[in-house]
Amino acid sequence: MDEDCSQPKALRRQPAQRRSVRRVERMLDACAELLDETGYEALSTTRIAERAGVAIGSVYQFFPDKRAITQELTRRNVEEFVRRVDRKFLEEDHRGWWEAVDAIIDEYVDMHRTVAGFKSLHFGDVVDLNLLDSDSDNNTVIAGRLRGLFLKEFGLADSPELDLAVLVAVEAGDAVLKLAFRRDPDGEPEIIEAAKHLIRGFLSRQLRSWSPHD
């Protein structure tokens, strides 16, 4: 039986060879599929190994337990989310942060609809609020990544006020978007739109110098 530990664990060791990297990716893919099919409680390293087509020893070579596999899947989700947002910023012109907010929410919604395991795991909060970082809750980690994007793309002045504003926006948006997907497996459009209005309105009041003029 898997034993969950109180602190997040990294990989036992980083896969060095291409074959090992592919094997670890298969384990993460299997974990994602099983999370969607059966949920976290029914997840086990044995089932992950069977689905991935690897020996159980291969799983334990890289991961101590199912929580560690889920943690690594969460990290992959976060990196994929940030990559997608970065790509959107490169490929599309946004008049300001308020349009970027819509783009970020659109990416979250698309991942929820199309990325295996994401609807079950989100950014790890379904399993553990401190899955990404033992010292910070998951949404704080996500807020830090998005804050960095805002600083880089829109020249917002770094400050404790910005930190707090982005964190509250992430928490509020996360809660409303989860409601949208509880009401509709594909996300209720009206609630998704309400999340965008909520976050834009809140940030407009907090960051008056960069408020939209529409």
Side-chain angles (χ1 to χ4, degrees):
M1 178 177 292
D2 293 297
E3 181 178 344
D4 288 352
C5 302
S6 58
Q7 293 295 327
K9 292 183 179 180
L11 283 159
R12 285 189 189 275
R13 66 181 183 86
Q14 292 293 329
Q17 298 179 342
R18 187 180 305 173
R19 182 175 59 183
S20 296
V21 171
R22 287 199 298 263
R23 190 182 308 143
V24 169
E25 287 299 312
R26 288 206 308 275
M27 295 176 202
L28 297 180
D29 291 341
C31 179
E33 292 169 4
L34 289 167
L35 280 169
D36 284 348
E37 293 172 14
T38 64
Y40 183 73
E41 290 304 317
L43 190 67
S44 71
T45 51
T46 300
R47 297 190 69 189
I48 291 170
E50 290 173 350
R51 178 63 63 92
V54 301
I56 188 66
S58 292
V59 175
Y60 288 122
Q61 185 180 9
F62 294 100
F63 301 103
D65 51 35
K66 73 176 186 180
R67 185 175 185 276
I69 303 174
T70 307
Q71 179 190 7
E72 192 62 25
L73 178 60
T74 298
R75 293 188 191 282
R76 188 173 76 170
N77 282 347
V78 171
E79 294 305 321
E80 174 64 15
F81 178 68
V82 173
R83 272 197 303 271
R84 287 181 178 215
V85 171
D86 274 338
R87 186 170 63 243
K88 223 175 199 0
F89 282 9
L90 283 172
E91 295 174 353
E92 301 175 5
D93 291 325
H94 300 114
R95 290 181 300 158
W97 62 261
W98 52 93
E99 288 189 352
V101 164
D102 287 1
I104 289 168
I105 291 176
D106 287 341
E107 284 302 331
Y108 179 98
V109 169
D110 186 64
M111 285 187 68
H112 202 292
R113 290 170 175 165
T114 63
V115 176
F118 191 80
K119 67 182 180 182
S120 302
L121 190 60
H122 302 287
F123 292 126
D125 52 296
V126 175
V127 176
D128 186 335
L129 286 173
N130 293 86
L131 194 59
L132 285 170
D133 186 326
S134 59
D135 296 321
S136 302
D137 66 61
N138 299 336
N139 277 347
T140 299
V141 175
I142 296 297
R145 300 297 294 271
L146 295 181
R147 170 185 152 280
L149 287 172
F150 282 154
L151 290 172
K152 181 175 69 175
E153 294 294 329
F154 302 110
L156 302 185
D158 199 3
S159 68
E161 289 77 19
L162 177 64
D163 287 350
L164 181 61
V166 174
L167 176 59
V168 171
V170 167
E171 289 283 356
D174 184 48
V176 177
L177 289 170
K178 284 175 181 171
L179 172 63
F181 284 98
R182 285 202 305 272
R183 300 266 301 241
D184 182 333
D186 288 326
E188 190 167 313
E190 292 81 5
I191 296 181
I192 292 171
E193 192 60 32
K196 293 179 179 180
H197 284 295
L198 176 72
I199 295 171
R200 287 197 305 260
F202 170 74
L203 288 177
S204 292
R205 290 189 294 274
Q206 300 301 311
L207 308 172
R208 295 183 185 281
S209 297
W210 299 280
S211 295
H213 302 291
D214 52 24

